[in-house]
Structure formats: C-alpha cells, structure tokens
C-alpha cells in the first residue's frame, strides 16, 4: 500500500515537473523567437507562421478566447476547494447534528479524495493559458495583468511546493498559509478585475 502511494506520488511529481518545465521552456522559446523576428534576423517559415497567427489572434477575439479559457480552468480548479470550504462552514456553523453532519463530512472527504488532484493539474494548465493570454493581449501601460499573472504564478508554485513537500516543515506551513489565504485570493481577484476594467475602458 505504501509502495503504491509512493509510486503515485512520484509519478504525480514527475508529471507536474514536466508540465512546469514545458511551460517555462515554451515561454522562453517564444520570447527568444520574438526577439529574433523583431531584430530582423532570418527565422524559419514555421516561426513566421506562428507570428502571423499571433498577429491575427491579437486583431480578433483570440485573446478573449484564451482569457475565457483561463478563467474556466481556474474556476474548475477552484471548485473542489470551494466545496470543501462550504462543507466545513456547514459542519461548523449550521445547526445540523448526527447523521446529516456525518453525511456532509463523508461527502466532503470523498470529493477531496477524488477531485483535489484536479485542483493541482488544472491550476497548472490555467497558468499556462494565462501566460498565453497575456502574450496575445496588448496591455501597454497597464501593470495589472502582469501583477495578476505574477501573483497567480506565486499561488500555483507555493501550492506545488507544499504538495511536493519540497521544503522544510516550518516553511511548508508558511507556504500553505499564503496559498490558502482568502485575502491573497481576494487581492488577486481585485487586481484581475481592475486590469480588465482598464482594458475595457480603453
């Protein structure tokens, strides 16, 4: 039993690591290629196709699609956490006893067991889409999108470090407090709302 748990934990960590490395690698590749194309150096037809596709996306609703996809992915990633918070609030504050309270507790434990891994994987995918969305969007003199993406990345990375147990225990507690902080999440939502409101006002 322990061996299977360790194997699945290692496999999950490897998967997450490969996803993160891939995201960073693609981001660096596209930045490098963009710099090459911007400086007027020769680039392959495949790269030219990418940049013409990027310009076409910028000129139509492509950045809206990636933004909406990012929001949906983050929403789906947050669903197990929201259900957990609601369930704990019901158990703690609602005047329910006995069988009903035990039922809510069991259902919450079941959904955490089955769905909490989606919180991890969908958050990584959403972060990648968020990076793509920012790349495709034009937001000069509007620092909110970058701030939102940095804070989102910090939330995802702290969650992964906590999940991997890659840092000492005393530091893990601080990471978890940051990752699970409703205040940090609220600040992130305000930043994203303000950034998009500024974009819509232009």
């Amino acid at each position: 039993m322990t061996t299977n748990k360790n194997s699945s934990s290692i496999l999950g960590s490897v998967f997450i690591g490969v996803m993160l490395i891939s995201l960073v690698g693609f981001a660096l590749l596209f930045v490098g290629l963009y710099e090459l194309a911007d400086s007027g150096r020769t680039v392959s037809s495949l790269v030219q196709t990418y940049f013409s596709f990027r310009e076409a996306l910028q000129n139509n609703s492509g950045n809206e699609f990636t933004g909406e996809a990012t929001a949906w992915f983050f929403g789906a990633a947050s669903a197990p956490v929201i259900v957990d918070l609601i369930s704990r609030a019901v158990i703690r504050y609602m005047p329910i006893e006995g069988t009903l309270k035990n039922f809510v507790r069991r259902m919450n434990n079941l959904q955490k067991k089955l769905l909490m891994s989606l919180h991890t994987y969908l958050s990584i995918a959403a972060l990648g889409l968020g990076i793509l969305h920012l790349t495709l969007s034009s937001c000069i003199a509007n620092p909110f999108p970058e701030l939102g993406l940095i804070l989102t990345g910090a939330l995802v990375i702290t969650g992964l470090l906590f999940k991997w147990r890659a840092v000492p225990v005393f530091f893990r507690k601080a990471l978890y407090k940051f990752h699970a902080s409703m205040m940090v999440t609220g600040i992130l939502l305000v930043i994203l709302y303000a950034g998009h409101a500024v974009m819509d006002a232009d």
Side-chain angles (χ1 to χ4, degrees), residues 7 9 12 29 35 37 41 44-45 47 88 99 107 112 115 124 129 146 158 162 171 180 183 186 193:
S7 299
S9 176
L29 175 65
E35 291 299 323
R41 296 183 187 171
S44 69
S45 59
V47 175
R88 286 194 288 170
T99 306
M107 291 304 294
K112 284 199 296 185
L115 300 179
I124 295 170
L129 281 169
E146 285 87 353
T158 53
F162 178 82
F171 197 52
M183 183 177 289
Y193 178 79

Side-chain angles (χ1 to χ4, degrees), residues 46-62:
L46 178 65
V47 175
Q48 288 174 346
T49 302
Y50 162 74
F51 285 111
S52 62
F53 176 68
R54 179 179 182 269
E55 287 173 9
L57 281 176
Q58 283 181 323
N59 292 330
N60 62 30
S61 61

Side-chain angles (χ1 to χ4, degrees), residues 3-183:
T3 306
N4 290 339
K5 193 172 181 181
N6 288 340
S7 299
S8 63
S9 176
I10 290 169
L11 185 62
S13 298
V14 168
F15 177 77
I16 293 169
V18 169
M19 291 270 298
L20 283 174
I21 291 168
S22 300
L23 286 173
V24 171
F26 280 124
L28 291 174
L29 175 65
F30 287 131
V31 168
L33 291 174
Y34 185 77
E35 291 299 323
L36 278 174
D38 200 36
S39 65
R41 296 183 187 171
T42 309
V43 291
S44 69
S45 59
L46 178 65
V47 175
Q48 288 174 346
T49 302
Y50 162 74
F51 285 111
S52 62
F53 176 68
R54 179 179 182 269
E55 287 173 9
L57 281 176
Q58 283 181 323
N59 292 330
N60 62 30
S61 61
N63 56 347
E64 288 181 17
F65 169 76
T66 55
E68 289 175 6
T70 302
W72 277 107
F73 268 74
F74 270 123
S78 301
V81 177
I82 293 169
V83 171
D84 178 50
L85 290 172
I86 292 171
S87 299
R88 286 194 288 170
V90 166
I91 291 168
R92 186 169 183 180
Y93 299 112
M94 294 291 287
I96 58 173
E97 296 296 335
T99 306
L100 185 56
K101 182 179 280 192
N102 289 334
F103 174 76
V104 172
R105 186 177 286 116
R106 280 199 307 271
M107 291 304 294
N108 187 40
N109 289 338
L110 181 63
Q111 75 89 18
K112 284 199 296 185
K113 185 177 180 182
L114 295 176
L115 300 179
M116 203 53 87
S117 59
L118 288 177
H119 175 68
T120 302
Y121 301 127
L122 289 177
S123 294
I124 295 170
L127 180 60
L129 281 169
I131 293 169
L132 178 62
H133 175 58
L134 186 64
T135 304
L136 294 175
S137 301
S138 177
C139 49
I140 298 168
N142 180 5
F144 290 113
E146 285 87 353
L147 288 173
L149 193 61
I150 289 168
L151 187 52
T152 302
L155 284 171
V156 172
I157 290 168
T158 53
L160 292 175
L161 289 174
F162 178 82
K163 184 178 178 68
W164 285 340
R165 304 180 185 217
V167 291
V169 175
F170 72 92
F171 197 52
R172 281 182 67 222
K173 289 181 180 178
L175 286 181
Y176 181 76
K177 282 185 179 178
F178 176 81
H179 180 75
S181 170
M182 296 300 289
M183 183 177 289

